[in-house]
Amino acid sequence: MTTKYLLQEEDMPRQWYNLAADLPTPMLPPLGPGGQPVEPHHLQAIFPENLIEQEMSTQRWIDIPDPIREILFRWRPTPLRRAVHLERYLQTPAKIFYKDESVSPAGSHKPNTAVAQAWYNREAGIRKLTTETGAGQWGSALGFACAILDMECKVYMVRISFDQKPFRRLMMETWGATCIASPSRETKAGRDVLERSPDTPGSLGIAISEAIEAAISDPEGKTRYSLGSVLNHVMLHQTIIGLEARKQLAMAGVKHPDVVIGCAGGGSNFAGLAFPFTCDKIHGASIRIIPVEPSSCPTLTRAPFAYDHGDTAGMTPLMPMHSLGHAFVPPPIHAGGLRYHGMAPLVSKAVVEGLMEPLSIHQSECYQAALTWARTEGFICAPETSHAIAATIRQARLAREEGRERNILFCYSGHGLMDLAGYEKFMRGQLVDHPLPEEDLLKSIEAFASFPKPQPA
Amino acid sequence: MTTKYLLQEEDMPRQWYNLAADLPTPMLPPLGPGGQPVEPHHLQAIFPENLIEQEMSTQRWIDIPDPIREILFRWRPTPLRRAVHLERYLQTPAKIFYKDESVSPAGSHKPNTAVAQAWYNREAGIRKLTTETGAGQWGSALGFACAILDMECKVYMVRISFDQKPFRRLMMETWGATCIASPSRETKAGRDVLERSPDTPGSLGIAISEAIEAAISDPEGKTRYSLGSVLNHVMLHQTIIGLEARKQLAMAGVKHPDVVIGCAGGGSNFAGLAFPFTCDKIHGASIRIIPVEPSSCPTLTRAPFAYDHGDTAGMTPLMPMHSLGHAFVPPPIHAGGLRYHGMAPLVSKAVVEGLMEPLSIHQSECYQAALTWARTEGFICAPETSHAIAATIRQARLAREEGRERNILFCYSGHGLMDLAGYEKFMRGQLVDHPLPEEDLLKSIEAFASFPKPQPA
């Protein structure tokens, strides 16, 4: 039985797919501090013009430049695999396919956009990128991309991760990136925080502020900021995942999957896999599309669709998205990549349009799924990815109960080799779940109560 | 330009290749305590009969059972890639191909034999395997194999690694294996050591003794011992690497490579890639075959070919191999998998026959090669693998100096994501080399001065 569907390099997509072109109603614009729609020139100190253009584009197909394709060839096209061993273990009539994005140099889907962003910046004459990183997945992906494109890279890493998780930092340094603990003394934002709280563990919000400040204060203007999720152009770059998967499913004789699943933090791996199939659904295909998030950070499942800031400090424009409130501090779950208060506006919009069915799952069920996966399929998944596997197992069991064949496709967004501490806690029985009480949610979403409300188009 | 050569599952080899069938003169037998050749029944308390048969076989081709092939399909056939970015960086006319064994669930070539050994043991009615591990590469590979085959697995891990490197241990536990620090109180061998030296950091020699004792003392006789390198059947299982590579080179239009390179500790990844090409060389092809070892553990380059024990404690039969002496304690280089005093007898024999040209390189040159690799090709290699890359870079530079095209093939035996501490030391300028003084070597090889000497056939 064939369990791997491999594409040749010449079969790799030559265009990215932009869901904004096919949504039933148009996207709402991001808003500036005064409530007015953001204009491209407002963003030029932070992003290069070519990426701002992509961010605002409603063109359906956007060419992937050949030099980007050539870099992606290092690990793309990625395999589509069938999880026959998990199927047998679950005694399900469902066929489980997964798109394996763990095979990239950084071990996740993140380099798909890191490479594209670095390349566009370099085309625009930029020599250096700054970014923030939590546990280090995104920082290492951007470090890799900058190494390959011979650019400088500076990563502001949340201090507690910087101290406790040296290995992702060492990956970045191996690729020649500079990684410093945030808050740092190198930026005003960092110094301000350190004066108030010298022993702060740091936060993503502070690190974003530092990275943006470092980008806009380069006197030569050769530095820009790079973000690993949430934005439209990031989703765009990730659609190569789903476009490849669609070709590979055809090789397996599957016209379209019945269920598409991905974990969703900022939304990028989920969108990357799901958006091409969302297009099929808009055009009539019957597909359930399920973004899966942690029950302790239930953005799509419990938060309202609102205008809110993308960062804790309120430095970004207001974006139309589901949000738990920009000041929301998620509990310390191990899936660090899913601890984000907001959601990619394109994903939120698709949910509002009824194209997707969000689901939240507690981390203990996810780790159980990860162990089942490791002991059947053999690979060790990232804690983020375990959410997609847990949802897949639920769907496969449902198929067994209903006695129905079903083609399930999920995104295997990354391996877990740098994230084994959570496995240890689970195996020792020390892992706890963190339900979000209704009163905490209500208090948290007050943060955007005074902001403009999204209006239907 | 094509940079990946992919095989379909049906193209995966159906037989392993046994170099013993083609060597110009026959292999010398292992010897028992009294100096007499070891008979199969001497080994039956340690290994199952089917593997003992493979160990002693001189049959050229041995069928790979279908259930083993099906397990290998989880990650095999592995890609053959061309390192075009390194080629450009080195401005070499050479073509550099590498066989990527890092894509397995355990991240190295080790599962190729772990799966086969676990399967043959289970066929023989064995329910549990014991083994030793140093840094954890082999223990995690066997843990993976036992998870897939639903067998028990117990790994004795050298205490200093057990304490300092928790992540490989967590991989084993994720796959359901039991991993305990050696010396332990569970075996007589362990207790004896602990009584003499309660604070010992442990050693591979002690861990082997404990694993063998645990296997042979199972009152139900359902436990056996498993070794990850050195033995003939291990080399046999690894030849799938070179057999695949040969097919993939043909896809690239290369009849046979001019140079074949692999790092060599016990010899298994090197043999796996090189033996099929060694066969071609025996039959007239012009191929340089280069095993690469650390200058601080220079088994093939500086040690004599002799009869010596495979373990420090002297529990194994005497094996005909290059040996630095079974009591040799290698310096603490980061390539833990290359810190072995001996060498696979099949590799040693091929060197004695003049079929291979061993090379030793210091670890600082290897880490420099690893950084160059990460910043050109993009992947982070294991410290062991960096020895093969350093030798490849030397060959590519030689090709440039001579202005000659050359096809170089090396084994990318594993990734370095669990081994970043060595990179950190190198980048901080804290890495030191450990030359082996001649007088230390002479003292160390006294360990086998009184043993029988290998006689030509």
Side-chain angles (χ1 to χ4, degrees), chain A residues 125-456:
Chain A
I126 303 304
R127 304 303 310 160
K128 179 173 175 177
L129 290 176
T130 65
T131 197
E132 76 293 333
T133 199
Q137 287 90 338
W138 168 243
S140 58
L142 194 66
F144 155 74
C146 288
I148 298 308
L149 285 158
D150 202 16
M151 296 174 74
E152 280 184 76
C153 180
K154 182 142 192 174
V155 181
Y156 294 82
M157 186 170 186
V158 175
R159 173 171 290 283
I160 188 167
S161 296
F162 185 91
D163 291 339
Q164 291 180 354
K165 301 186 173 182
F167 294 111
R168 285 266 179 200
R169 167 172 63 79
L170 287 173
M171 286 176 79
M172 298 178 223
E173 292 179 0
T174 297
W175 282 313
T178 306
C179 177
I180 65 169
S182 167
S184 76
R185 301 222 155 266
E186 295 188 6
T187 65
K188 182 173 180 311
R191 287 189 298 272
D192 285 354
V193 174
L194 285 173
E195 265 170 43
R196 289 197 306 272
S197 351
D199 299 324
T200 176
S203 75
L204 262 184
I206 300 166
I208 293 178
S209 305
E210 288 205 278
I212 293 178
E213 181 185 329
I216 63 184
S217 58
D218 172 5
E220 293 180 31
K222 297 286 191 196
T223 304
R224 291 293 181 277
Y225 167 74
S226 175
L227 188 67
S229 193
V230 181
L231 299 178
N232 299 342
H233 66 274
V234 179
M235 305 300 122
L236 179 78
H237 300 154
Q238 294 293 359
T239 57
I240 196 167
I241 301 173
L243 294 169
E244 285 181 7
R246 196 153 58 175
K247 290 188 182 195
Q248 290 162 309
L249 282 177
M251 293 163 72
V254 176
K255 197 177 162 205
H256 60 73
D258 302 296
V259 188
V260 175
I261 293 170
C263 65
S268 77
N269 91 82
F270 166 74
L273 181 70
F275 280 4
F277 298 103
T278 309
C279 173
D280 296 344
K281 181 169 183 165
I282 290 168
H283 292 94
S286 167
I287 309 176
R288 298 187 64 181
I289 302 177
I290 305 177
V292 190
E293 53 190 19
S295 294
S296 56
C297 193
T299 317
L300 288 169
T301 45
R302 292 182 59 199
F305 180 65
Y307 265 116
D308 196 8
H309 291 294
D311 67 318
T312 313
M315 291 181 70
T316 74
L318 294 174
M319 294 189 294
M321 60 183 180
H322 293 79
S323 175
L324 292 158
H326 59 267
F328 179 70
V329 179
I333 58 167
H334 286 278
L338 306 183
R339 294 175 72 240
Y340 183 63
H341 70 277
M343 183 53 63
L346 275 167
V347 172
S348 277
K349 177 77 172 172
V351 169
V352 169
E353 298 278 5
L355 294 164
M356 295 171 177
E357 304 167 53
L359 176 69
S360 74
I361 305 186
H362 276 300
Q363 67 174 352
S364 52
E365 181 178 340
C366 298
Y367 272 106
Q368 184 56 58
L371 271 199
T372 299
W373 181 260
R375 294 175 187 183
T376 55
E377 290 297 319
F379 289 90
I380 295 178
C381 72
E384 290 81 4
T385 311
S386 73
H387 289 69
I389 297 174
T392 296
I393 290 175
R394 285 192 185 183
Q395 286 291 322
R397 291 199 162 124
L398 186 66
R400 187 182 58 191
E401 284 162 23
E402 297 179 351
R404 289 174 57 178
E405 271 198 36
R406 239 189 219 110
N407 293 303
I408 304 171
L409 169 67
F410 78 90
C411 188
Y412 192 79
S413 54
H415 66 63
L417 299 183
M418 319 296 283
D419 308 280
L420 289 164
Y423 280 86
E424 180 165 38
K425 274 205 175 163
F426 177 71
M427 291 188 288
R428 305 270 183 280
Q430 296 163 352
L431 197 81
V432 290
D433 287 327
H434 305 271
L436 176 63
E438 188 65 20
E439 59 270 26
D440 291 5
L441 174 61
L442 289 174
K443 196 171 155 195
S444 164
I445 64 179
E446 276 172 24
F448 51 76
S450 66
F451 297 161
K453 301 279 173 286
Q455 303 296 325

Side-chain angles (χ1 to χ4, degrees), chain B residues 10 22 98 100 103 106 117 128 134 151 168 200 221 225 258 344 405 424 444:
Chain B
E10 61 265 27
D22 285 309
Y98 67 103
D100 187 358
V103 299
Q117 290 188 49
K128 178 173 176 178
M151 296 174 73
R168 286 265 178 201
T200 176
Y225 167 75
D258 302 297
E405 271 197 35
E424 179 165 39
S444 163

Side-chain angles (χ1 to χ4, degrees), chain A residues 12-19 21-22 50-51 54 57 59-69 72 76 111-120 232-244 246 272 275-276:
Chain A
M12 199 174 82
R14 293 174 186 277
Q15 297 182 309
W16 292 299
Y17 168 68
N18 186 359
L19 181 65
D22 286 308
N50 46 19
L51 285 178
Q54 281 190 355
S57 173
Q59 198 182 314
R60 181 171 291 110
W61 294 101
I62 293 179
D63 288 345
I64 309 177
D66 280 341
I68 293 180
R69 295 181 81 243
L72 299 181
R76 301 205 75 86
N112 294 331
T113 187
V115 165
Q117 290 189 51
W119 188 84
Y120 279 110
N232 299 342
H233 66 274
V234 179
M235 305 300 122
L236 179 78
H237 300 154
Q238 294 293 359
T239 57
I240 196 167
I241 301 173
L243 294 169
E244 285 181 7
R246 196 153 58 175
F275 280 4

